[in-house]
Amino acid sequence: MKIVQVLLTAVIVIVAFGSNPGAAADLNDPYQIVNNFYDAIGGLDKIKAEKSSYYEAAVSMAGLEGTITQWSMSPIFSRQVFDLKVFKQTTGDNGEESWVVDGNGKLLIIKDEAALKRREISKLRADYDFLNRDSKNFRLTFEGIEKVNDVDCYVVKTSNSINDDITLDYYNTADFILIKSIEKHPDEETHVLLSDYRDANGIKRSFAQEVEVLPVGQKISIRIEKFESNPDIDPAIFEPPAEDVRDFTFTNGNKAEDIPFQFIGEHLYLPVNVNGREKLWILDTGAEMTVLTQKYADELGLEVKGNMKGSGAGNTIDVGFTTLPPFSLKGIEFDSQKVAVIEISQFFDRFGLDVSGILGYDFLSRFVTKVDYDNQTLSFYDPENFAYTGNGVMVETPLRGNMFNIPITIDGKYTGQCTMDLGAGTSNIHYAYAVANGLMDRPGIERIGMGAGGEFAERMLRFDSIEFGGFVLQKPIIDIGVTETKGAFSSKEQMGNLGNTLFRHFVLYLDYKNQRIFIEKGKSFDREFPEDKAGCQLWLNEKGQYEVRNAPAGTPAQKAGLMKGDIIKSINNIEMKSFGGYFAVADLFKADAGTTYDLMIERNGVEKRIKIELKELL
């Protein structure tokens, strides 16, 4: 689950106003257009003479009001504080590295490849290399004339040789005012409309911007209230905090070991105590923040503010924010935390689970976490004095969006970076990668995936092998996205998402501080885990009945005559309530091939008996 973190380090405060050097019909040289822009706002020499700046702005987004404060110094030194009260983020660059401090005070040094490439582009732009017609790094192209709010604009595209990002700038054909700018990344677009032009130290600048982040549709309104050109700035302000946050304590020494978890439906659940009451939470490395369900926030009487857009598996989601009181689990006590609130109780209800929250990055980033699937235990270690002594493999895994990013290879030829997501049951290849690598024509079992963002279509495929951390597993089942979505599985920059059907073969050590993991073979490394042999996807409907969500073509479920919407009343004349819950029923369909069951189903109010014989699906 990804929450949109609006890093407004690229807010545009320069805008053209002035002479009219060329007629719209005749001007199609993009370099001349951009140079006219700089001439119009005061001249490139004057702009280059501005070695530092400071501004304060009012910001409105997601039903919240706040402020942005930013210090900048040539070439790329920066510090920005984005404060919405319930959500605060500080970002910076000290000239050597970029960093971010989240709303709970956790420091992260940015190391992932995509971010490092964008930082390199920013350095080159700071040297105005894009104005050089012979640049090896940038290329400007004239894209024609388009209207923006009924104003004719020259459209200039800036592309680069470092990544696939492009920028589209829209200049008023009459006076070269920059009216609109679009920054396109493979996974995201930022659209900025500029207005309220003012002279500041001899340079025309926009003091108002309307920002929209796509595809999630998050809108931000920015009004600059104070601007200073060439202020004296202490370079120390651009440094990350000298000390990281310490908002937890171990109740015994510097670790908490062998905490039991329940492995239910390929997910990890453990009890968390808030206000003296234990409730079940899910552990999720794929969550950028710790999350409460709206139901649990209401139960605790917490005030929830805002309505930010985020990305969940399947689609976008609405995210609020609140403050969670101090909480604890076996061996660890936590201070109060800023957390996200999402309406996801209905997701867990479909599988008969009462889950109150998700322990994500804000929890996991404090520790080195050992996940032992065979013994179903978690151990948490203080990263300041942890030393790995096992015989496993260390893999550098730069965090991207607060999540581990891991290289894998499938069938010896499909390679890429994937999110490590302990909040996902299965592994997934994203739609964009599947299309680009010719996987869409491979036959498989059509299924319906479900996540925080709702339902999405996928196809279950059997591959020959998957290589992860130097270890090779044979005959893995991996899903591919078969339609384009707006959620967390829509990335074009990443190959896919790795879940627990892969990780359950290992013992993992997750070292967030050093952005690395240690991987050991588990006792179940060579184990062939039981797999579904019916192809029948069930959930619990609002009446608590076992309803068929999907019976894909070619599966035993479809051949037996099951259809979407059927209600299973009994199996082998045993009522469904006697099986011990949803996952016990799901396990029945993982029995040996050749096993048969007599089902009593209800369709449109009429009961009917059918027989299903299990077989290998792939």
Side-chain angles (χ1 to χ4, degrees):
M1 181 270 299
K2 296 196 299 182
I3 295 173
V4 175
Q5 297 182 335
V6 185
L7 309 179
L8 295 173
T9 54
V11 172
I12 299 171
V13 295
I14 301 175
V15 62
F17 182 82
S19 60
N20 182 11
D26 299 326
L27 190 56
N28 58 16
D29 180 348
Y31 293 90
Q32 184 180 345
I33 293 170
V34 177
N35 276 293
N36 285 347
F37 160 71
Y38 283 114
D39 289 342
I41 64 175
L44 194 57
D45 289 342
K46 184 173 290 187
I47 294 167
K48 288 182 176 180
E50 187 173 273
K51 300 299 183 182
S52 65
S53 64
Y54 170 82
Y55 75 77
E56 299 171 3
V59 60
S60 175
M61 66 177 293
L64 300 169
E65 303 292 330
T67 59
I68 300 172
T69 307
Q70 179 163 305
W71 300 257
S72 300
M73 189 167 68
S74 296
I76 60 168
F77 294 87
S78 68
R79 180 187 183 94
Q80 183 187 90
V81 180
F82 177 44
D83 189 357
L84 291 174
K85 310 308 179 187
V86 295
F87 178 85
K88 183 178 180 179
Q89 182 171 271
T90 303
T91 60
D93 194 307
N94 64 1
E96 298 294 329
E97 58 190 8
S98 298
W99 51 271
V100 59
V101 175
D102 68 17
N104 286 309
K106 184 63 181 174
L107 171 66
L108 174 64
I109 304 299
I110 306 300
K111 296 182 179 180
D112 80 87
E113 183 179 1
L116 293 179
K117 286 182 177 180
R118 291 189 175 111
R119 184 175 182 274
E120 180 62 25
I121 292 170
S122 295
K123 290 173 65 177
L124 292 167
R125 289 188 67 91
D127 289 334
Y128 297 92
D129 184 47
F130 59 94
L131 294 179
N132 178 5
R133 292 179 185 269
D134 298 321
S135 172
K136 297 179 181 179
N137 303 301
F138 296 100
R139 183 183 179 214
L140 304 186
T141 55
F142 177 64
E143 299 295 302
I145 295 176
E146 296 182 20
K147 287 188 181 293
V148 177
N149 295 333
D150 293 325
V151 176
D152 285 331
C153 295
Y154 300 114
V155 184
V156 176
K157 180 173 78 172
T158 305
S159 56
N160 69 85
S161 61
I162 297 173
N163 65 13
D164 294 328
D165 295 353
I166 65 169
T167 301
L168 296 172
D169 290 318
Y170 296 73
Y171 301 97
N172 189 326
T173 59
D175 53 22
F176 292 95
I177 289 175
L178 180 62
I179 293 180
K180 180 179 180 180
S181 184
I182 300 175
E183 186 170 346
K184 290 188 175 185
H185 298 176
D187 293 341
E188 185 176 270
E189 294 184 14
T190 302
H191 293 228
V192 184
L193 289 172
L194 304 102
S195 60
D196 190 13
Y197 311 113
R198 306 180 194 176
D199 185 287
N201 197 36
I203 301 173
K204 287 291 181 179
R205 312 173 193 270
S206 165
F207 274 64
Q209 292 97 38
E210 299 297 327
V211 182
E212 183 173 14
V213 182
L214 300 174
V216 295
Q218 184 65 66
K219 295 183 178 181
I220 310 109
S221 179
I222 301 165
R223 298 291 182 269
I224 296 174
E225 298 180 333
K226 179 180 181 180
F227 180 85
E228 296 180 8
S229 178
N230 284 323
D232 290 330
I233 300 177
D234 183 352
I237 200 171
F238 304 119
E239 296 294 333
E243 295 185 3
D244 207 353
V245 66
R246 186 79 178 190
D247 49 10
F248 68 93
T249 56
F250 290 107
T251 58
N252 185 18
N254 55 20
K255 58 187 176 182
E257 292 186 295
D258 300 327
I259 300 172
F261 67 83
Q262 299 180 59
F263 196 54
I264 306 171
E266 285 78 49
H267 292 76
L268 290 74
Y269 299 87
L270 67 164
V272 175
N273 191 307
V274 181
N275 292 342
R277 293 186 60 194
E278 278 193 346
K279 304 279 281 187
L280 202 63
W281 290 50
I282 190 170
L283 191 78
D284 186 0
T285 60
E288 287 188 351
M289 291 185 70
T290 289
V291 175
L292 300 183
T293 67
Q294 181 66 58
K295 176 182 176 181
Y296 189 47
D298 293 342
E299 182 181 322
L300 293 172
L302 303 179
E303 182 181 11
V304 180
K305 295 183 178 180
N307 187 26
M308 192 175 287
K309 298 296 182 181
S311 294
N315 211 326
T316 58
I317 51 178
D318 294 325
V319 183
F321 298 93
T322 193
T323 300
L324 176 68
F327 65 96
S328 64
L329 59 159
K330 184 181 178 182
I332 305 173
E333 296 178 348
F334 250 87
D335 299 342
S336 63
Q337 296 278 303
K338 300 289 187 183
V339 298
V341 179
I342 303 174
E343 184 53 78
I344 51 174
S345 294
Q346 70 281 1
F347 169 77
F348 297 110
D349 291 344
R350 293 294 193 178
F351 304 101
L353 294 170
D354 183 12
V355 176
S356 297
I358 299 171
L359 291 174
Y361 173 81
D362 296 323
F363 173 81
L364 288 161
S365 60
R366 273 57 174 174
F367 311 107
V368 175
T369 301
K370 177 185 178 183
V371 185
D372 186 339
Y373 287 88
D374 288 311
N375 295 305
Q376 295 189 22
T377 59
L378 298 166
S379 298
F380 302 99
Y381 302 95
D382 190 333
E384 298 302 324
N385 45 42
F386 172 81
Y388 179 73
T389 58
N391 59 358
V393 174
M394 189 271 286
V395 178
E396 298 286 350
T397 53
L399 293 172
R400 179 180 180 184
N402 297 353
M403 294 178 282
F404 289 114
N405 202 29
I406 300 174
I408 68 163
T409 300
I410 296 174
D411 288 358
K413 59 181 178 180
Y414 304 112
T415 62
Q417 297 284 329
C418 293
T419 302
M420 182 182 197
D421 188 357
L422 270 61
T426 59
S427 294
N428 172 282
I429 295 175
H430 294 334
Y431 171 80
Y433 187 95
V435 170
N437 288 272
L439 297 176
M440 299 303 291
D441 294 332
R442 291 185 59 156
I445 304 297
E446 305 296 324
R447 294 175 61 83
I448 300 172
M450 188 174 183
E455 295 185 354
F456 52 94
E458 59 186 5
R459 182 179 303 141
M460 188 171 68
L461 303 179
R462 175 84 70 181
F463 290 87
D464 292 330
S465 65
I466 182 170
E467 185 273 324
F468 161 66
F471 300 98
V472 179
L473 292 170
Q474 304 297 326
K475 302 298 180 182
I477 289 179
I478 302 173
D479 300 326
I480 66 168
V482 296
T483 57
E484 195 165 10
T485 67
K486 295 182 180 180
F489 292 170
S490 64
S491 175
K492 298 179 177 67
E493 291 191 304
Q494 289 184 291
M495 177 183 182
N497 195 72
L498 304 177
N500 289 315
T501 51
L502 168 64
F503 299 130
R504 64 188 177 185
H505 294 273
F506 301 94
V507 176
L508 305 174
Y509 289 79
L510 314 178
D511 184 352
Y512 279 81
K513 177 182 170 75
N514 296 295
Q515 301 189 41
R516 62 186 182 180
I517 62 173
F518 296 92
I519 309 167
E520 299 174 2
K521 279 188 177 182
K523 296 177 182 177
S524 299
F525 180 78
D526 293 317
R527 179 183 171 188
E528 293 185 9
F529 287 87
E531 297 170 353
D532 175 47
K533 298 181 182 66
C536 176
Q537 290 183 269
L538 303 175
W539 65 11
L540 297 175
N541 64 20
E542 295 178 354
K543 297 179 180 180
Q545 299 170 313
Y546 287 81
E547 181 178 323
V548 177
R549 295 172 59 207
N550 186 31
T555 63
Q558 184 264 334
K559 291 178 181 179
L562 283 173
M563 298 174 61
K564 180 179 179 180
D566 287 349
I567 305 299
I568 299 180
K569 307 286 288 186
S570 68
I571 301 176
N572 290 350
N573 294 318
I574 300 173
E575 292 185 358
M576 303 306 291
K577 65 181 180 181
S578 301
F579 285 106
Y582 173 89
F583 293 100
V585 172
D587 285 343
L588 291 177
F589 296 112
K590 296 179 181 179
D592 293 339
T595 300
T596 61
Y597 294 115
D598 291 314
L599 308 183
M600 174 67 77
I601 67 168
E602 179 183 316
R603 181 182 301 160
N604 299 324
V606 178
E607 291 188 346
K608 178 181 180 181
R609 287 193 178 274
I610 64 172
K611 180 176 288 189
I612 184 170
E613 180 177 354
L614 305 186
K615 73 167 188 176
E616 300 290 343
L617 298 181
L618 297 170

